[in-house]
Amino acid sequence: MKLTLKPLFHRIFLCMLLAACALSCDLTLIPEDTVTPDTSFKSRTDLDNWCNYYYNIFESAETYSGRNADDLVDNSLGDIILGTRYATDDLDAKNEWYWKHLRNINYCLERVHQCEDAQAAKEYTGVCYFFRALTYFEKVMRFGDVPWYDHVLGSDETGELRRPRDDRGFVMDKVMEDLDNAIEMLPEGKDVYHVTKWTALALKSRAALFEGTWRVYHEMEDAEKYLVQAVEAAEEFIDDSPYSIWSGGENPYRTLFNSLDAVEQEIILAKRYSQAAAVSSSVQFNLRNAKMGFTRRFMNHYLMKDGSRFTDIPGHGTMMWREETSGRDPRMAQTVLCPGYDLLRNVNIIGVSKYGNDFSALTGYEPVKFALDCSVQDYSGASKSFSDFPLFRAAEVYLNFAEAKAELGIFTQDDADKSIKPLRDRAGMPNLDVAAASESPDPYLLACYPNAVGRPLLGLILEIRRERTVELVMEGLRQWDMLRWKEGLQMVNENASYYGMYVPGPGIYDLDGDGANDTEFYTSSPASTAKDKLVTLKIGSSVILSEGESGYVTAWAGSMFTFDEGRDYLWPIPAAQRVSTGGMLTQNPGWNDGLNF
């Protein structure tokens, strides 16, 4: 009997205890561990916990570093080049047509006044304004006109979900307004992992330059209004911020990108990766495993070290690897695998300790920007990169300033000294000569950017684009630059093949010029043997050459990609969204979603 009565007694006692507690407690109170709109947003910690979510708006380091345009190709390319954007997609997986972030931002803006810390309330209001501006700027970049919402929609506001898009000019003016508020409210100190006043100024210079130049080259009104704002934001940053161009170490440009921790002298905001926190990327792994390769078009942007044009040299088009990389802008050897590069690896790729060119890159020009000087085993595996990734850095702001002033037609030598010279000084290059660039526009760059023809300061605009191309490569901006300059055709191989390194024909070569043969190109069978420890490449198989048995290493030779000038500068509005609004959301030009409204 004891075995059955004891559990029963315990159950009865427990019920009596719970009843007594219920009679003695106020059941209308909210438990202390329950978070509601009225109990949250009370402290700096509450706001920080909520707003940290916003940093997910930034894409991954892999996405930024591997974004393809005319400068960099790999074995997957991207939606624009592949032509795989469809109006039938929901487009929310990549934060494209995705609005949850906006709702969370507006939700916080409506409750931040509940914070009992006035200074925290001000700062985090600035954070919200920054991220709302970023969210809408990225929407405008993709879709043009988009609906503007500055509050959380209530259940009785269904009409707000079924209204037309707002004009991109109206939205971008709101973006500028939000950024001005953020600039006023955010703290002025350095914080490489959180937004500050200086991050907001950097974003304003980027967004205003984008919109201003979009309007210039897509023939829309009010370009000057945004270009002026880009100049003002960038100049305030250059004059007043605690940031400058970092020039430490023997190869300062390279070490800026292969440091584990962001270099805070120049990097304004970074995406944090940490081995201790087990937060990693696959950037270094992707350099080789995605077969990433720079195009010859990109390589030809680099000047000679004395500031003269490589593409003015007779015979430059048939120079081989050693010759074409000699005497160039030092940033080339700190960005691209060049002869003499001594990255040591655990895996002995070609039988020697010095890392030579094994043509794993689709074009033969392998990136080394973001590659750490360490072994494959340590950092090069999938999800084993722990270097912080720069989202905003001072160099871009300097270039935004230069480009906006040039597009306004008011760029002077003093402006070059203020913006271009610090970058050239870091690289060990002579400064831009404004008079010489104005008098003699580079014909090679004219062919790369034909839509720039007719601009008042054409020669300077081209040289600033050259500087931007080599300085900011692999930082996620090139695709957007080509779209705003209306040079989409230049990104696809229907217009310009993805050419790489030049190969005269079959034979055994000393490509790096160190006195020992290292590579053989052959057509049927190699003449060398394994003991020769050469990289052996079969023409037509391992490498495709533009002229059959000679010419440029050509990526994606068997595929043809096109760009529709009347359609492809903007993304389609998702058809499902258009249906849900009864056609109030109109479709972008050229996109066919099968709907009759």
Side-chain angles (χ1 to χ4, degrees):
M1 292 293 292
K2 289 182 180 180
L3 293 176
T4 58
L5 286 175
K6 186 173 182 180
L8 177 61
F9 173 79
H10 285 172
R11 287 196 293 270
I12 294 172
F13 178 79
L14 180 60
C15 290
M16 293 172 63
L17 180 63
L18 290 174
C21 290
L23 290 172
S24 64
C25 295
D26 183 354
L27 297 182
T28 64
L29 292 178
I30 298 173
E32 293 182 0
D33 63 348
T34 299
V35 177
T36 72
D38 293 329
T39 62
S40 191
F41 303 99
K42 294 288 189 180
S43 67
R44 179 179 288 273
T45 299
D46 289 344
L47 293 174
D48 188 62
N49 289 337
W50 183 273
C51 293
N52 276 338
Y53 173 81
Y54 303 159
Y55 290 87
N56 292 324
I57 294 172
F58 292 112
E59 296 175 287
S60 68
E62 294 93 334
T63 298
Y64 289 124
S65 61
R67 182 165 277 150
N68 305 113
D70 63 321
D71 59 339
L72 179 73
V73 294
D74 57 26
N75 60 11
S76 61
L77 297 181
D79 291 341
I80 294 179
I81 294 174
L82 292 175
T84 52
R85 294 175 295 175
Y86 303 110
T88 52
D89 291 346
D90 59 23
L91 296 179
D92 68 356
K94 302 176 185 175
N95 288 348
E96 292 167 334
W97 194 269
Y98 180 84
W99 299 88
K100 185 176 180 180
H101 290 307
L102 176 65
R103 185 185 187 280
N104 290 334
I105 292 165
N106 284 336
Y107 192 87
C108 185
L109 281 170
E110 292 176 1
R111 290 164 176 80
V112 68
H113 65 277
Q114 297 171 193
C115 183
E116 296 165 357
D117 181 338
Q119 183 59 34
K122 177 183 177 182
E123 291 178 12
Y124 282 94
T125 299
V127 171
C128 290
Y129 280 131
F130 174 91
F131 280 104
R132 187 166 72 180
L134 176 65
T135 297
Y136 264 109
F137 170 47
E138 293 190 343
K139 292 283 186 288
V140 170
M141 285 198 298
R142 289 185 169 95
F143 300 103
D145 299 346
V146 290
W148 170 265
Y149 297 105
D150 60 4
H151 67 283
V152 177
L153 298 183
S155 59
D156 60 344
E157 294 183 276
T158 55
E160 281 290 285
L161 293 172
R162 296 172 60 86
R163 65 176 181 83
R165 296 185 282 166
D166 289 298
D167 177 77
R168 68 180 293 151
F170 171 82
V171 176
M172 286 304 294
D173 286 345
K174 290 293 188 181
V175 167
M176 296 297 114
E177 182 181 312
D178 274 0
L179 286 172
D180 286 340
N181 288 330
I183 291 164
E184 175 64 27
M185 295 177 172
L186 287 168
E188 296 189 9
K190 284 185 174 182
D191 189 338
V192 75
Y193 301 123
H194 296 90
V195 298
T196 65
K197 170 183 178 176
W198 313 114
T199 326
L201 279 168
L203 176 57
K204 186 175 182 182
S205 75
R206 179 188 292 182
L209 177 66
F210 182 95
E211 188 63 15
T213 49
W214 180 281
R215 289 171 179 270
V216 167
Y217 293 101
H218 293 260
E219 299 180 349
M220 298 177 66
E221 296 180 349
D222 292 332
E224 182 176 339
K225 176 177 74 172
Y226 295 103
L227 291 173
V228 168
Q229 291 183 79
V231 170
E232 292 173 347
E235 189 159 36
E236 182 179 351
F237 179 95
I238 295 170
D239 291 345
D240 299 338
S241 83
Y243 296 92
S244 58
I245 303 304
W246 187 76
S247 56
E250 184 178 354
N251 298 305
Y253 181 81
R254 171 163 165 70
T255 54
L256 184 65
F257 303 104
N258 74 346
S259 299
L260 286 175
D261 297 321
V263 178
E264 296 187 32
Q265 179 179 324
E266 179 170 346
I267 296 175
I268 311 160
L269 182 68
K271 196 172 185 71
R272 188 175 191 178
Y273 293 97
S274 167
Q275 190 167 18
V279 180
S280 63
S281 75
S282 296
V283 170
Q284 184 158 314
F285 177 80
N286 288 350
L287 296 179
R288 292 180 62 81
N289 287 274
K291 299 185 180 299
M292 295 168 65
F294 293 118
T295 62
R296 194 173 189 88
R297 173 194 181 99
F298 165 73
M299 296 287 286
N300 286 344
H301 275 66
Y302 284 100
L303 296 169
M304 301 302 293
K305 194 175 187 304
D306 63 5
S308 61
R309 301 168 183 162
F310 171 74
T311 49
D312 286 347
I313 300 174
H316 71 85
T318 55
M319 289 182 180
M320 294 187 70
W321 188 40
R322 179 72 184 186
E323 187 179 6
E324 70 169 315
T325 57
S326 297
R328 302 290 288 276
D329 178 337
R331 282 174 293 188
M332 174 184 277
Q334 298 173 52
T335 304
V336 189
L337 178 70
C338 292
Y341 185 74
D342 58 354
L343 174 64
L344 300 181
R345 296 174 176 267
N346 276 352
V347 178
N348 192 333
I349 298 174
I350 59 173
V352 293
S353 61
K354 183 177 288 187
Y355 175 46
N357 193 334
D358 65 349
F359 284 78
S360 66
L362 290 182
T363 59
Y365 298 125
E366 182 176 338
V368 296
K369 186 172 179 175
F370 300 114
L372 294 177
D373 287 324
C374 50
S375 69
V376 170
Q377 183 176 354
D378 288 341
Y379 292 105
S380 285
S383 300
K384 291 180 70 174
S385 290
F386 300 102
S387 295
D388 293 340
F389 191 87
L391 300 171
F392 292 92
R393 64 184 179 98
E396 182 205 342
V397 183
Y398 284 48
L399 289 165
N400 293 345
F401 170 82
E403 185 179 346
K405 293 210 81 170
E407 290 289 357
L408 287 167
I410 56 174
F411 189 82
T412 67
Q413 187 62 54
D414 286 342
D415 294 325
D417 295 345
K418 187 172 189 172
S419 58
I420 304 300
K421 187 176 186 297
L423 307 181
R424 295 281 185 90
D425 285 347
R426 188 220 332 251
M429 293 282 293
N431 190 19
L432 172 64
D433 186 326
V434 168
S438 300
E439 293 168 4
S440 178
D442 184 355
Y444 182 81
L445 294 185
L446 276 173
C448 290
Y449 309 105
N451 283 331
V453 174
R455 297 299 294 156
L457 297 184
L458 176 61
L460 287 169
I461 288 171
L462 293 175
E463 290 304 319
I464 292 167
R465 289 187 184 185
R466 181 202 304 278
E467 195 70 21
R468 187 176 181 91
T469 301
V470 302
E471 177 69 28
L472 302 179
V473 66
M474 294 181 70
E475 295 179 49
L477 296 169
R478 180 65 174 184
Q479 168 194 282
W480 302 113
D481 289 344
M482 297 299 282
L483 294 178
R484 65 187 175 88
W485 295 332
K486 205 178 181 183
E487 299 291 1
L489 282 174
Q490 308 302 317
M491 297 198 296
V492 294
N493 62 359
E494 177 190 39
N495 178 72
S497 296
Y498 300 133
Y499 286 156
M501 195 176 296
Y502 181 76
V503 177
I508 295 175
Y509 296 92
D510 173 15
L511 288 183
D512 63 9
D514 67 352
N517 292 329
D518 47 51
T519 307
E520 180 181 5
F521 297 93
Y522 66 93
T523 54
S524 56
S525 59
S528 60
T529 63
K531 68 179 182 180
D532 295 318
K533 298 181 179 179
L534 304 184
V535 174
T536 55
L537 302 161
K538 185 173 183 178
I539 297 173
S541 176
S542 303
V543 292
I544 306 298
L545 301 182
S546 58
E547 304 302 321
E549 293 189 6
S550 65
Y552 301 113
V553 175
T554 307
W556 291 92
S559 302
M560 184 66 68
F561 305 114
T562 62
F563 189 92
D564 186 332
E565 282 277 289
R567 182 194 67 186
D568 288 343
Y569 285 104
L570 295 175
W571 273 244
I573 306 299
Q577 297 294 319
R578 300 222 309 121
V579 170
S580 68
T581 63
M584 294 302 291
L585 286 178
T586 56
Q587 186 54 271
N588 275 326
W591 291 100
N592 182 7
D593 55 19
L595 302 177
N596 58 6
F597 49 71

